[in-house]
Amino acid sequence: MLVDETIAQKMFAGLCCGRERCTTEALRVLSDFVLGQQAGNGGFVNRGGQADLYYTMFGLLLVAVLRVPIRRDQVARYLDSLDPVSLDLVHLLCLVRCRVLLAYLALPETLQNAAAGLGLRGNVSEALCRQGAEMLHSRQTTLFPLQDPTSPYSQFLRLSLAQELGFSYAGESLADYCQADGLFSNLKGAEYSSTNASSSALVLGYYGCGCKIESETLRMFSCCQQQDGAFKAADGAPQTDLLSTATAAFALSLYQVKPALSVRDFLYAAFTESGGFSSGAGDLMADLEYTVYGLLLMGVS
């Protein structure tokens, strides 16, 4: 296993693999969908049609993977309008990744290929690096998902940020989040595990942060796959969804584990007439986040 590659690099490789599995027509409609999601101010829009930093990160990632032209100068102005000091962990990571992606997109295609998938920090300012360093050591609970800096998901984000900025991150024990089934929750004292937390823990364990993942844990997590080939957010969730499925499949792929059932029909059901992916069957509204998950699932399954 190549643990020297970052989470972002491994995701980028999975997305590129997904791109290679698309037909020419699918790539055309995907590219048209992504281009249609850029707002007039340069950012990319959320499900409400408003420019949003979180969705801008997904938009730029798809632009880099699909190799479609965009107005990079307008994206830069949109990012310049944001104050890093005001951002929580999720959005600070998004801003850092947006800067890295813009630097990547500014390279000639020959140099993009040599960059091996976002191994760049040249467009991240010293001020943004300092803010990132402060975030990694912060205990201000309001800056973290579920107001908990040590949950599996929060630590997954912290590790991602550290890798993007070239900092080290040892991680903190996840023992308090481990459930009786060997999987994980994002809540201490929870009765049930969740896919988000377990996927996060698997990634952390792969990089030697906070826990050691045993083969039985991988088996148990893989067995959470449902009959449609997808994963639920948690055992009691009413239906499967693309976010849970893609993140689970990506986490398992780090250990060279593939769930037993095909995701092909599930992916077809999540692909919409607009050219992007939705959360799954019954959801007719595509967005950039789910489109990233669709390509990623296609690439790692």
Side-chain angles (χ1 to χ4, degrees):
M1 294 185 293
L2 296 175
V3 296
D4 55 330
E5 291 184 325
T6 67
I7 296 167
Q9 287 172 318
K10 287 186 175 295
M11 288 188 69
F12 191 79
L15 287 162
C16 289
C17 185
R19 179 197 66 211
E20 296 305 315
R21 292 174 178 173
C22 289
T23 65
T24 300
E25 176 61 15
L27 288 175
R28 184 190 67 78
V29 296
L30 278 168
S31 298
D32 288 347
F33 172 75
V34 173
L35 287 172
Q37 300 297 297
Q38 189 175 16
N41 68 353
F44 286 78
V45 300
N46 56 25
R47 289 173 77 88
Q50 302 299 312
D52 184 296
L53 175 57
Y54 183 73
Y55 286 84
T56 298
M57 185 270 293
F58 287 110
L60 288 176
L61 185 53
L62 287 166
V63 165
V65 170
L66 297 172
R67 302 169 185 168
V68 294
I70 58 160
R71 306 184 300 275
R72 292 198 313 271
D73 57 335
Q74 293 189 19
V75 180
R77 284 196 292 272
Y78 169 71
L79 298 178
D80 288 342
S81 72
L82 304 171
D83 179 11
V85 177
S86 68
L87 302 177
D88 59 16
L89 173 59
V90 171
H91 290 89
L92 186 66
L93 175 59
C94 288
L95 181 57
V96 169
R97 282 192 169 159
C98 284
R99 292 297 188 186
V100 172
L101 284 159
L102 272 185
Y104 178 82
L105 292 170
L107 295 172
E109 187 170 331
T110 53
L111 293 181
Q112 286 183 2
N113 293 336
L118 312 179
L120 300 170
R121 298 186 195 96
N123 209 28
V124 179
S125 67
E126 290 186 11
L128 188 51
C129 283
R130 286 196 301 271
Q131 189 64 26
E134 290 182 15
M135 181 67 75
L136 288 175
H137 297 96
S138 176
R139 282 297 186 270
Q140 185 177 335
T141 57
T142 55
L143 297 175
F144 297 92
L146 300 175
Q147 300 189 339
D148 184 354
T150 63
S151 72
Y153 182 52
S154 288
Q155 290 205 61
F156 166 81
L157 295 172
R158 289 164 67 190
L159 173 61
S160 299
L161 180 61
Q163 289 179 341
E164 294 296 291
L165 298 176
F167 299 142
S168 61
Y169 181 75
E172 302 178 53
S173 174
L174 296 179
D176 289 343
Y177 303 91
C178 189
Q179 303 301 299
D181 59 3
L183 301 179
F184 295 82
S185 170
N186 281 315
L187 297 170
K188 292 179 180 178
E191 295 183 11
Y192 304 103
S193 58
S194 74
T195 300
N196 173 288
S198 298
S199 297
S200 298
L202 261 63
V203 175
L204 289 163
Y206 175 79
Y207 287 98
C209 297
C211 66
K212 179 176 173 56
I213 301 299
E214 306 290 348
S215 58
E216 179 62 13
T217 302
L218 297 173
R219 189 191 70 79
M220 287 292 296
F221 193 40
S222 183
C223 286
C224 292
Q225 188 183 31
Q226 304 296 301
Q227 287 302 307
D228 64 353
F231 285 71
K232 293 182 177 181
D235 187 49
Q239 62 187 36
T240 56
D241 68 272
L242 181 53
L243 186 160
S244 299
T245 306
T247 53
F250 172 73
L252 287 166
S253 74
L254 298 179
Y255 299 86
Q256 286 82 54
V257 174
K258 284 192 176 184
L261 302 176
S262 171
V263 299
R264 180 184 177 92
D265 290 343
F266 175 78
L267 272 172
Y268 275 137
F271 193 66
T272 70
E273 292 184 0
S274 66
F277 285 90
S278 71
S279 63
D283 181 5
L284 302 180
M285 185 176 185
D287 68 37
L288 291 166
E289 180 181 13
Y290 283 118
T291 301
V292 165
Y293 294 138
L295 266 185
L296 180 62
L297 180 58
M298 195 178 304
V300 299
S301 299

